[in-house]
Amino acid sequence: MSRKRRMVGVLMSEIMVCVICVIVAAGIVRTSVSAEGKILYKHNNSKKINQNNDDLKNDSSTDAGTKWNLILVNSSHKLDQSYAENISLTQLRNEQSIDSRCYPELQQMMDDCRAQGYSPIICSSYRTHEKQQELFNQQIQIYMKDGMDRQEAEEKTAKSVAIPGTSEHELGLAVDITDIAEQKIVSGMEEQPVQQWLMKNCWKYGFILRYPEDKADITGIVYEPWHYRYVGKEAAKYIYSNQITLEEYCYHH
C-alpha cells in the first residue's frame, strides 16, 4: 500500500512539474509576443515619423510633386536658392512682386479691404537671396552699434529677421502689409484697423497670419502682425479655424 502511495506521489509530482513547465512556457511566449509587438509598434511608429519628416522635406523642396502653396520655409527647412529660378513673378506697386499663382487672391483681398474703407499697402514682398542677406546684415550692424558682440547680434537678429535661405519672402508667397498712413513696421500694428480686418478675413483668400502671437517657440520668429503667407484657401481655413501655425499644419497633414 505504501509502495502504491509512493508511486501516486511521484506521478503527482511529475504532473505538477509538467504544469509548471507549461505555465512558464506560456509566459515566455506571451512576453516574447508582447516584446515583438512593442518592437513592431516602435518600428511602425518610427516609420510614420520618418515618413512625416520625408513629407516635410518634400514640401520644402522643388520636386515636381511639391505642393507649391504649402512649401515650409523656416530655420530647419532651408529654401534651395535654385527655387527662385522657377518663380514666375507678377509686379505690384512700389516695386513689389509676388508669385503669379497667388496674385489674383492677393489682389482681391486688397480690393475688398479697401472697399471696407481701409488703406492697406504692401511694404515688402518677394526678396532675392541677396536682398535678404543685406537686410540680415543691416540688423546685425544695428545691434552691434548698441554694444552687442557679433554672435549675440546674430542670434538676436535671427529672431526677427529670417536667416538668408530661410525667409518666406524668398519664396514669393509672403507679403508684409500695413496701413498707408503708417508704412513702417512698428510695435502695436495689430491695433491698426487694416490689420484687424486682415487677421479676421485673410483666410478667405488663402492667406494666413504666418507668425502669430505666442507661437514663436514653434515658428522660430517673433510675433509679426503684418506678415501674411499664401497657403491656399483649404489650408488657410483649417489653420485659421484651429488657430495653429503652418508648421503644425504640415506635421499633421
Side-chain angles (χ1 to χ4, degrees), residues 44-69:
N44 287 338
N45 191 47
S46 176
K47 183 176 180 181
K48 182 178 181 180
I49 292 173
N50 289 334
Q51 181 64 49
N52 287 339
N53 289 336
D54 288 341
D55 289 344
L56 284 178
K57 290 178 181 177
N58 288 336
D59 277 341
S60 50
S61 71
T62 54
D63 293 341
T66 298
K67 295 178 180 178
W68 64 273
N69 55 306

Side-chain angles (χ1 to χ4, degrees), residues 123-136:
C123 59
S124 185
S125 53
Y126 171 71
R127 297 175 193 157
T128 63
H129 184 79
E130 292 72 24
K131 181 62 176 179
Q132 187 65 29
Q133 184 69 62
E134 178 185 337
L135 294 173
F136 192 79

